[in-house]
Amino acid sequence: MWALTTLLLLVSSSGQAATLEKPILSLHPPWTTIFKGERVTLKCDGYHPLLLELRPISTLWYLGHLLLPSHKKSIEVQTPGVYRCQTRGAPVSDPIHLSVSNDWLILQVPYTPVFEGEPLVLRCRGWYDKVVYKLHYYHDGQAVRYFHSSANYTVLQARASDSGRYQCSGTMRIPVESAPMFSAKVAVTVQVLPWTRPPLPPHGPQPWLLETSRFSSESPRCPDRSRRSPPSRAPPPPGCSSRQVAPRLLGHPPALRRRPWNNRLEP
């Protein structure tokens, strides 16, 4: 009975096995660069159908191509490298790159991708949270922001032009004020969302989507018969057609409906 129930849960109505979405790997705190000796927490969140809930859910952890011994939902790590996770029956998650530094100053960026219109936050951090003075942020070698002491640099609405290599510099009192120190450069990419054409209204195109052609000839001497005017018996000028061309639709045409008295399809 249990076998039949679980089989029905994993088989779709079309007769094909249901595929699971890949789990979501998150990093806490959300910075991809840490100091040597620090630890961060990786958490693997995935969807588990009833079949997988019947037994204890195990999570597989990968550091590069190495399988880690832990099977918990979250782990603490301090080794640099590329981390991934996988739950039973699901694909492998997207990777998280963790860097470990032994410098006095590091520039931290979030692990999640940044898209256009979203805020971009950069954090210049001194060795084990020492205060950084005379703090400068650089974008592709150009200074973009100055702070008297430790502060994050935030771009409220990031654009594609904000992509590039960032760096920070500053001084620290250890115990006297040091000479200016520089962090390693970090590459940041602001991703562009694909543009999608807005859908047309459900009741056909709007008036501004109509393009009216005057006549078969585009000569300026031809009168504009598309406007309502008293009928004229005068012949059209040479090169002009007396037949008026119907407006041309730039969008989708309106739906046709059948007239009961002539059984013809008309708009």
Side-chain angles (χ1 to χ4, degrees):
M1 182 63 183
W2 278 108
L4 178 59
T5 304
T6 53
L7 180 61
L8 292 177
L9 287 174
L10 288 182
V11 177
S12 61
S13 58
S14 60
Q16 298 178 351
T19 57
L20 302 180
E21 296 182 357
K22 58 185 175 182
I24 299 176
L25 181 60
S26 57
L27 176 65
H28 308 276
W31 310 108
T32 57
T33 304
I34 60 175
F35 286 113
K36 185 177 181 180
E38 291 185 323
R39 290 177 173 268
V40 292
T41 301
L42 293 171
K43 187 178 181 181
C44 189
D45 292 310
Y47 171 73
H48 313 284
L50 180 59
L51 174 62
L52 305 183
E53 297 289 353
L54 298 179
R55 293 180 292 173
I57 300 171
S58 62
T59 302
L60 301 179
W61 292 95
Y62 301 95
L63 174 56
H65 297 287
L66 177 64
L67 179 63
L68 300 180
S70 177
H71 295 281
K72 297 181 180 179
K73 189 176 181 179
S74 61
I75 59 174
E76 287 188 352
V77 296
Q78 59 180 3
T79 304
V82 180
Y83 289 87
R84 294 179 176 88
C85 72
Q86 184 180 18
T87 55
R88 189 185 304 119
V92 181
S93 69
D94 292 330
I96 286 183
H97 300 254
L98 183 65
S99 301
V100 177
S101 175
N102 201 27
D103 297 333
W104 283 98
L105 205 62
I106 59 175
L107 180 63
Q108 295 180 311
V109 298
Y111 73 95
T112 54
V114 179
F115 294 90
E116 277 192 320
E118 296 179 346
L120 170 64
V121 181
L122 304 178
R123 181 189 186 195
C124 191
R125 184 173 171 225
W127 177 260
Y128 281 89
D129 294 326
K130 289 184 178 295
V131 179
V132 181
Y133 298 94
K134 301 177 182 178
L135 175 59
H136 288 84
Y137 284 93
Y138 303 89
H139 178 209
D140 290 336
Q142 302 292 326
V144 292
R145 193 63 188 273
Y146 169 80
F147 296 98
H148 175 70
S149 59
S150 296
N152 295 344
Y153 173 58
T154 303
V155 180
L156 295 180
Q157 292 185 338
R159 298 175 296 178
S161 58
D162 294 316
S163 301
R165 299 181 66 84
Y166 286 83
Q167 189 180 26
C168 67
S169 69
T171 62
M172 285 183 290
R173 297 172 182 175
I174 44 178
V176 296
E177 188 169 353
S178 66
M181 294 177 288
F182 290 81
S183 71
K185 294 182 179 180
V186 179
V188 175
T189 301
V190 178
Q191 301 186 20
V192 181
L193 291 173
W195 182 86
T196 56
R197 178 180 178 182
L200 291 174
H203 302 295
Q206 298 296 330
W208 55 81
L209 293 179
L210 292 174
E211 180 185 63
T212 304
S213 176
R214 291 182 175 181
F215 298 94
S216 58
S217 172
E218 295 294 337
S219 171
R221 298 178 301 171
C222 299
D224 187 359
R225 296 180 182 270
S226 61
R227 300 178 181 177
R228 293 186 177 181
S229 58
S232 175
R233 297 184 178 179
C240 297
S241 173
S242 60
R243 181 177 60 87
Q244 182 175 346
V245 180
R248 182 168 61 90
L249 291 176
L250 296 181
H252 298 289
L256 300 179
R257 52 185 181 270
R258 190 178 299 276
R259 300 295 185 182
W261 54 87
N262 55 13
N263 199 25
R264 295 176 57 188
L265 292 176
E266 298 180 0

